[in-house]
Amino acid sequence: MRRYKVAIVGATGVVGQEFLTILSERDFPIDKLTLLASAKSKGRQLNFRGDMLQVEEVSEDAVSGHDIVFFAAGATVSRQFAKKAAESGALVIDNSSAYRMDPDVPLVVPQVNPDDILKHKGIIANPNCTTTIMVMALKPIDDAAQVKRAVVSTYQAVSGAGIKAIDALFRESLAYLEGEAITPDALPYASAPRHYQIAFNIVPQVDAFGDMMYTKEEWKTVYETSKIIGRKLAITATTVRVPVERSHSISMNLETEGKLTREEALDILSRAPGIRVIDEPEELLYPTPLLASGKDLVLVGRVREDNSIPNGLNVWVVGDQLRKGAALNAVEIGEKALELGCLAR
Ligand SMILES: NC(=O)c1ccc[n+]([C@@H]2O[C@H](COP(=O)([O-])OP(=O)(O)OC[C@H]3O[C@@H](n4cnc5c(N)ncnc54)[C@H](OP(=O)(O)O)[C@@H]3O)[C@@H](O)[C@H]2O)c1
């Protein structure tokens, strides 16, 4: 079996760390793994399958000469180096927002639109974490009854904002319990002109504000979902940061063309790939972020008919955004590209 030269840009970040775990767990066919990050991490050692690998500084040379390069270092770094990596012959799988809406770049969730992988010209984009998790449950419902409109509210974990935000949740929680002063510095995002405490609080802003007073995260949910399912969908979103370490939760209200009862929807979702239904109200069983954390499957529950319209459903979806929302989905794209034989352009 052929093995490949693989690189991770952003290997020292929370998503980068998850890549190391998932590539190892799934025994991805790696010949040589190169770990790249900023100058400040140069020389750091990270464990991969029992070997200590040294982190190198990202550069045009360092991203060249690989078969697959996973980018997880933010949009600026992807814009600077992803094309160079692709030109040198690699398939780039990019976790940032840099290329997601580029018409030449497929945006892929392998359980939803795997064939879009075949259209790549060197770069494939991994969708926004909330979008990936949501679309896993939305697509099977859409296939069965055609979604006319979706109203989405998210409850997003701090790890979605990187290492600094996880640290903020722990630091602020300890300070709060000790009665000490708290100086928030990480959320809604590190470079924001004003910061909010996340410990014992929620923040109704994920990412910066954009058009119509919606945040960029909210617009990503709108545009990326439509691109993945291949048609313009009426969708509106409110994205909220909650004091949860890991795994995003999403409340979806779906208005459908055709009627689906709760039982029909549960049957459809339980047969959908990559999903596990946990929906036993009489036993008080439903998905939570703690249940979803560390798992590959997206958990779905609280399925109910919308009481206010003839054809509608409420669905609660929870997924580990560092796994299915980021590194796992990217690795699955890589596996599918190998299976389809379309690694290089
Ligand atoms: N966190 C999530 O749930 C999630 C989900 C989906 C997608 N994403 C995307 O994944 C990417 C990484 O997010 P994260 O949460 O892992 O962030 P993070 O924990 O802050 O890690 C950022 C990584 O990028 C590297 N980096 C930053 N600036 C760099 C530069 N100028 N040159 C080279 N490397 C640089 C960092 O290296 P140093 O350690 O050397 O600074 C680190 O390895 C982002 O594009 C994010 O939007 C994140």
Side-chain angles (χ1 to χ4, degrees), residues 15-29:
V15 174
Q17 299 285 301
E18 209 58 38
F19 268 113
L20 290 172
T21 307
I22 289 170
L23 289 169
S24 172
E25 278 173 6
R26 296 173 77 91
D27 204 14
F28 197 84

Side-chain angles (χ1 to χ4, degrees), residues 14 128-130 153-166 168-169 172 186-190 196-208 215 217-218 220 238-249 321-322:
V14 277
N128 166 263
C129 44
T130 314
S153 303
T154 72
Y155 306 73
Q156 299 186 213
V158 290
S159 51
I163 280 173
K164 194 166 178 190
I166 304 175
L169 175 62
E172 290 175 6
L187 293 165
Y189 52 94
Y196 286 90
Q197 176 181 326
I198 189 64
F200 301 90
N201 199 13
I202 64 171
V203 180
Q205 180 186 356
V206 178
D207 207 339
T215 64
E217 185 84 352
E218 288 158 353
K220 285 175 196 168
T238 302
T239 55
V240 179
R241 190 73 67 190
V242 296
V244 163
E245 184 185 0
R246 183 171 175 143
S247 293
H248 290 350
S249 305
Q321 97 289 351
L322 294 173

Side-chain angles (χ1 to χ4, degrees), residues 9-16 36-42 44 55 58 71-75 77-78 80-81 94-97 100 126-129 158-164 220 248 321-322 325-327:
V9 183
T12 51
V14 277
V15 174
L36 303 170
S38 77
K40 102 171 185 249
S41 300
K42 191 175 167 187
R44 241 183 96 181
V55 178
V58 70
F71 274 79
V77 175
S78 293
Q80 199 177 347
F81 296 108
D94 182 27
N95 274 268
S96 83
S97 59
R100 288 182 191 146
N126 207 35
N128 166 263
C129 44
V158 290
S159 51
I163 280 173
K164 194 166 178 190
K220 285 175 196 168
H248 290 350
Q321 97 289 351
L322 294 173

